[in-house]
Amino acid sequence: TQLLEQSPQFLSIQEGENLTVYCNSSSVFSSLQWYRQEPGEGPVLLVTVVTGGEVKKLKRLTFQFGDARKDSSLHITAAQPGDTGLYLCAVHDYSGGGADGLTFGKGTHLIIQP
Amino acid sequence: DAGVTQSPTHLIKTRGQQVTLRCSPKSGHDTVSWYQQALGQGPQFIFQYYEEEERQRGNFPDRFSGHQFPNYSSELNVNALLLGDSALYLCASSLDFSGPGANVLTFGAGSRLTVL
């Protein structure tokens, strides 16, 4: 069972459209991170959300942490081809007693067509 | 300011062989983590090194081992390669401290391993 379920798995839309991708879990987290990974590159941190209900904006990207700190969403307004990439959510999994390794979801593969 | 550098970028091995991947952390970082990313999947945590010791390990067999050197650089070794070990191996560095900004990872571009 995946700790983090991301949906949709794949999304292809036209430039200028809006979209939302989701990261869900049955567990509660103290924080959650979103990364974007482009082909041939490593993941790059976009944002960390910490407080339940928190909303953070990064230009056209809006991130929200669920009130119960079990889920998160990423909304992109007026998508551009440069937004193309693999969007990953990640948390620190304390279940094994450690606090250092990140657990990632499988990601949403986003393609923005010009 | 150089980020995380990994070598080699691509390599091909055959089943049963051994491989060593190398990582230089971002300047100022003292902690190195390794992740395996299969095609189309999210990265999976292998282990983390701090002060030249393995501090935490994910669900990977003993065929996967590592080392951290006094200059904080690190190596990942995989013995007795299997076809399923084909993946992108990512190194991430961070600074070990508590408080705001802690646990922020900087990833390298990865080493793409193909096992035939």
Side-chain angles (χ1 to χ4, degrees):
Chain A
T1 304
Q2 279 282 116
L3 181 65
L4 298 172
E5 297 285 349
Q6 291 194 244
S7 62
Q9 188 176 358
F10 296 96
L11 183 59
S12 178
I13 63 172
Q14 294 294 123
E15 181 177 359
E17 294 184 3
N18 303 330
L19 67 108
T20 303
V21 298
Y22 301 91
C23 176
N24 296 306
S25 178
S26 58
S27 299
V28 177
F29 304 109
S30 58
S31 67
L32 183 146
Q33 297 179 335
W34 283 94
Y35 289 80
R36 178 170 66 210
Q37 184 177 20
E38 299 183 23
E41 301 293 330
V44 174
L45 178 66
L46 297 174
V47 76
T48 301
V49 287
V50 178
T51 307
E54 180 178 7
V55 176
K56 282 191 172 180
K57 292 192 175 183
L58 184 65
K59 296 183 180 179
R60 295 176 292 100
L61 278 60
T62 302
F63 304 85
Q64 184 163 9
F65 203 12
D67 291 341
R69 289 183 288 123
K70 292 182 177 182
D71 51 73
S72 182
S73 64
L74 159 59
H75 181 80
I76 301 179
T77 303
Q80 299 178 2
D83 296 326
T84 293
L86 176 65
Y87 287 81
L88 297 156
C89 62
V91 296
H92 285 277
D93 182 8
Y94 294 83
S95 63
D100 305 305
L102 275 176
T103 297
F104 285 86
K106 290 186 176 182
T108 292
H109 296 261
L110 176 63
I111 296 174
I112 310 300
Q113 300 180 20
Chain B
D1 180 23
V4 177
T5 57
Q6 293 187 242
S7 63
T9 54
H10 296 82
L11 70 166
I12 300 173
K13 294 285 188 177
T14 56
R15 281 179 298 174
Q17 285 189 312
Q18 179 263 346
V19 67
T20 297
L21 308 178
R22 296 175 176 82
C23 172
S24 292
K26 181 179 177 179
S27 178
H29 285 183
D30 58 6
T31 304
V32 172
S33 303
W34 287 91
Y35 290 80
Q36 180 195 65
Q37 186 174 24
L39 197 62
Q41 304 293 316
Q44 281 193 286
F45 176 68
I46 302 175
F47 43 53
Q48 183 182 84
Y49 277 83
Y50 173 69
E51 292 188 339
E52 302 180 47
E53 291 191 357
E54 182 181 298
R55 179 159 67 176
Q56 190 190 13
R57 188 179 185 92
N59 188 26
F60 279 80
D62 292 344
R63 298 187 296 109
F64 290 77
S65 63
H67 189 78
Q68 186 180 34
F69 300 92
N71 67 352
Y72 307 118
S73 66
S74 177
E75 289 181 351
L76 165 65
N77 301 291
V78 186
N79 294 322
L81 285 167
L82 304 173
L83 295 178
D85 294 331
S86 294
L88 180 68
Y89 288 85
L90 294 163
C91 172
S93 70
S94 57
L95 184 60
D96 182 73
F97 73 103
S98 299
N103 299 321
V104 174
L105 301 184
T106 300
F107 283 86
S111 294
R112 171 73 64 186
L113 171 64
T114 301
V115 182
L116 302 177

